[in-house]
Amino acid sequence: MTRTEFSVTVDLVLLTIRQAALQVMLVSRGIPPHQGRWALPGGFVHGDEDLGEAAARELREETGLDPRDGYFEQLATYGRPGRDPRGRVVTVAYLALLPDLPTPVAGSDAAGAAWRPVDEVRGDLAFDHDEILADGIERARSKLEYTPLATAFCPPEFTVADLRAVYETVWRVRLDPRNFHRKVTGADGFVEPAGGTVIRDRGRPAQLYRRGPATSLHPPLMREPTRPPDQRPDGRRTS
Amino acid sequence: MTRTEFSVTVDLVLLTIRQAALQVMLVSRGIPPHQGRWALPGGFVHGDEDLGEAAARELREETGLDPRDGYFEQLATYGRPGRDPRGRVVTVAYLALLPDLPTPVAGSDAAGAAWRPVDEVRGDLAFDHDEILADGIERARSKLEYTPLATAFCPPEFTVADLRAVYETVWRVRLDPRNFHRKVTGADGFVEPAGGTVIRDRGRPAQLYRRGPATSLHPPLMREPTRPPDQRPDGRRTS
DNA sequence: TTGCTTTTCGTCGTTATGACGATAATCCCG
DNA sequence: CGGGATTATCGTCATAACGACGAAAAGCAA
């Protein structure tokens, strides 16, 4: 029973919302393998590091961001033989949900790091990063249902409409502003008033909120309605 | 930048329900480190294996079970330096939910493998397996809320009461049999009638069901009530 | 001022839920 | 064979949550 030796890397699925689109941080690979292609930021785990530490270090090195700026959790681990031509490499992927920070890219490691809309990069990534990205997006989607983590995409103070935009962007749905407002302000500990107002574009000024102390949402916000009411005799709308 | 070399193992959190208790499969370690202590079954990933394949192989080798007997998913990965005195070892933990199979333990690898109630082993496991077990139990608990995976703890045909016992055991709560019956039989695709009846101990015979085609539960079964109704001025019941 | 936009508060009918009553179908014990 | 115990299943009721939508509030532009 020979103990195969592995290299272990961490890869980062950094998600944010910019320009009304879900975007992911990618780096253009400057060296083989997959030179010139886009890939998730990441790197090898050092000899004295825990996995989460390595991921946080890579986050700082490649983007200048801090895990505490948003939300950070382990996503999954990928180790298919042949996933990396350099040898047997297992990668532990981490997922981060980040606000749209002013100076997002100031990396040192990566040649070019950039936020890219997830829709424009699907299928083009190096290694098995397409699969990792897809898993990260799905994780983010379901996290929004049962946790208040949508606030991780927002700056410290935000409006209900900002939060709604997060859900609409990540879930690719359109939500009723009135019902959404009721649910968010009614869910215990989801948000709490910050005590100011702001006008985003037009219309009535909106209250500012901060993220509340809740760590889970009861009741959750559901992606699909609790029950497609089983009726749809015609497709008419009430004009 | 020296690429540290790692060993990679898989560890299995195998959960089942036996004798009305949540139990986990453990092996008594026959060799150092941690000789004589209980540990999660697991082993090194071979050179040509994907991680999931290695976990499935260990499952077969150590317990004779098959992943398809129940439910099987990757749990999380643990790689703290020093977690294994043999060197830098990263372990990918897998979680399996299994029915109470007739011949559960027939391992070849492990000296002694046995189902142990999770309450009796908390805090006594080798390596960081206490933490892994705790994460696995918590994952199982939340999976029961949003997925029909409680059926993975049941044999192919089961009664509503069997399913309720799964929830009561895993969540450590007591559920109202009437409301539970309504929710389970009402949730779309959760269970479907198998067309027989059986008497478990006493009382009226129960209908047999099979697991349905649903992969998620809408609406979910919630551990904590949607809202502790905020009122409790007195404790009287209307009698 | 008149419009337009967005936020925020309410209303209404339907569905889901927890508490619990009632009935059905079996076994046990005399 | 009949009553009691036990469990499964169906129903009822009040309340909470939800989707659809009306309407008022509060700003800007013209």
Side-chain angles (χ1 to χ4, degrees), chain A:
Chain A
M1 163 110 72
T2 154
R3 273 164 58 171
T4 305
E5 295 293 313
F6 292 77
S7 295
V8 176
T9 61
V10 287
D11 281 318
L12 305 177
V13 179
L14 309 179
L15 298 178
T16 194
I17 292 177
R18 290 164 65 88
Q19 300 151 17
L22 184 63
Q23 308 217 6
V24 59
M25 173 75 73
L26 296 180
V27 297
S28 181
R29 288 190 58 79
I31 57 171
H34 297 287
Q35 184 167 16
R37 299 182 68 184
W38 293 98
L40 298 173
F44 291 96
V45 176
H46 294 175
D48 56 348
E49 277 179 326
D50 197 354
L51 303 173
E53 289 174 19
R57 173 180 54 75
E58 290 289 340
L59 179 63
R60 275 191 303 274
E61 286 179 5
E62 302 217 36
T63 71
L65 298 171
D66 189 283
R68 288 164 305 186
D69 291 333
Y71 173 75
F72 198 66
E73 72 169 21
Q74 190 182 299
L75 175 59
T77 299
Y78 304 81
R80 181 173 50 79
R83 61 173 294 277
D84 189 320
R86 290 169 292 188
R88 200 64 209 277
V89 180
V90 163
T91 194
V92 183
Y94 281 77
L95 173 68
L97 313 182
L98 299 163
D100 184 5
L101 294 171
T103 318
V105 185
S108 56
D109 268 31
W115 292 109
R116 297 291 311 278
V118 296
D119 298 327
E120 299 179 9
V121 301
R122 250 184 248 261
D124 294 332
L125 301 188
F127 305 105
D128 50 3
H129 290 188
D130 282 311
E131 178 190 357
I132 300 175
L133 174 59
D135 291 346
I137 291 169
E138 181 50 37
R139 175 79 65 92
R141 288 202 166 126
S142 55
K143 281 275 170 183
L144 293 206
E145 290 193 302
Y146 309 116
T147 72
L149 287 180
T151 58
F153 284 114
C154 296
E157 302 202 341
F158 52 88
T159 70
V160 175
D162 295 337
L163 199 59
R164 180 164 48 88
V166 170
Y167 279 92
E168 292 184 333
T169 302
V170 176
W171 284 352
R172 307 178 147 287
V173 296
R174 196 129 303 266
L175 301 174
D176 185 288
R178 298 159 289 188
N179 292 337
F180 183 83
H181 188 279
R182 178 182 49 185
K183 292 193 76 163
V184 166
T185 57
D188 220 57
F190 192 176
V191 298
E192 44 193 29
T197 64
V198 69
I199 299 173
R200 280 283 179 255
D201 184 25
R202 283 176 299 229
R204 172 175 170 174
Q207 300 284 110
L208 283 172
Y209 290 88
R210 261 189 293 272
R211 57 191 69 169
T215 57
S216 69
L217 285 186
H218 281 275
L221 284 127
M222 304 278 276
R223 262 185 283 185
E224 30 191 322
T226 50
R227 178 71 65 117
D230 195 323
Q231 90 211 10
R232 190 50 42 82
D234 63 351
R236 294 198 306 111
R237 303 254 121 253
T238 47
S239 96

Side-chain angles (χ1 to χ4, degrees), chain B residues 112-124:
Chain B
W115 290 109
R116 297 291 311 277
V118 296
D119 297 327
E120 299 179 9
V121 301
R122 251 184 248 261
D124 295 332

Side-chain angles (χ1 to χ4, degrees), chain B residues 40-122:
Chain B
L40 298 174
F44 291 96
V45 176
H46 295 174
D48 55 348
E49 277 179 327
D50 198 355
L51 303 173
E53 289 174 20
R57 173 180 52 75
E58 289 290 339
L59 179 63
R60 275 192 303 274
E61 286 179 4
E62 303 217 35
T63 70
L65 299 172
D66 190 282
R68 288 163 305 185
D69 291 333
Y71 174 75
F72 198 66
E73 73 169 20
Q74 191 183 299
L75 175 60
T77 299
Y78 304 81
R80 181 173 50 78
R83 61 172 293 279
D84 188 320
R86 289 169 293 189
R88 199 65 208 278
V89 180
V90 163
T91 195
V92 184
Y94 281 77
L95 173 68
L97 313 182
L98 299 164
D100 184 5
L101 294 171
T103 317
V105 184
S108 55
D109 269 31
W115 290 109
R116 297 291 311 277
V118 296
D119 297 327
E120 299 179 9
V121 301
R122 251 184 248 261

